[in-house]
Amino acid sequence: MVDYKKMYLTLFNATEDAINTLENVRQSLIQAQRECEELYVSEPAQEKESESGGMAAPAAT
């Protein structure tokens, strides 16, 4: 006789594991994005201008 309960639980547990893994990947990517944004905004303005080819808008005075 086919053990449907065992089949269901096997698939359910694998699905939960996959969802948890994807959530961990998502959180890692969000954290990396935040770190990159923080590095960018904390960099001096002069370096940002040279990286963009001098096209950055001048600072308001």
Side-chain angles (χ1 to χ4, degrees):
M1 182 172 180
V2 178
D3 188 350
Y4 289 104
K5 182 177 180 179
K6 183 177 181 179
M7 289 171 41
Y8 171 80
L9 290 175
T10 299
L11 184 58
F12 180 83
N13 288 331
T15 302
E16 285 293 309
D17 290 345
I19 290 169
N20 291 333
T21 299
L22 289 171
E23 180 59 26
N24 290 337
V25 170
R26 180 180 167 275
Q27 291 298 324
S28 293
L29 290 171
I30 289 170
Q31 183 60 35
Q33 180 183 14
R34 288 178 179 158
E35 289 175 19
C36 289
E37 289 170 349
E38 182 59 35
L39 287 169
Y40 180 79
V41 298
S42 65
E43 191 173 296
Q46 184 178 16
E47 290 181 29
K48 290 178 191 172
E49 286 180 24
S50 64
E51 288 177 2
S52 64
M55 300 298 290
T61 55

